[in-house]
Amino acid sequence: MSAGIHWRKSSRSGQGNNCVEVADARLVRDSKLGARSPVLEVSAKAFSDFINAAKDGRFDG
């Protein structure tokens, strides 16, 4: 599934590999595993809702 897909990490992740990567605003994988990582596919709306909730601080402890 990962062939030809451009994966991106958050600009806030720095140079480390302890984060998730996204592609096409609907595919998510673990950056530590790279191409070996399982890929989670979500709808564009679900991903947008998740990002907005994170920006609003709804996951802050």
Side-chain angles (χ1 to χ4, degrees), residues 1-36:
M1 173 182 241
S2 294
I5 296 174
H6 176 71
W7 292 96
R8 299 176 307 281
K9 286 192 280 187
S10 168
S11 59
R12 295 183 182 217
S13 68
Q15 299 300 318
N17 283 331
N18 296 324
C19 59
V20 296
E21 297 175 313
V22 297
D24 300 330
R26 62 182 180 83
L27 302 175
V28 183
R29 74 177 182 181
D30 184 334
S31 66
K32 291 184 300 299
L33 300 176
R36 297 183 327 252

Side-chain angles (χ1 to χ4, degrees), residues 36-59:
R36 297 183 327 252
S37 176
V39 175
L40 174 66
E41 183 172 6
V42 297
S43 71
K45 177 162 180 3
F47 192 77
S48 176
D49 290 347
F50 170 76
I51 295 299
N52 289 328
K55 286 179 180 178
D56 290 345
R58 287 187 255 168
F59 303 119

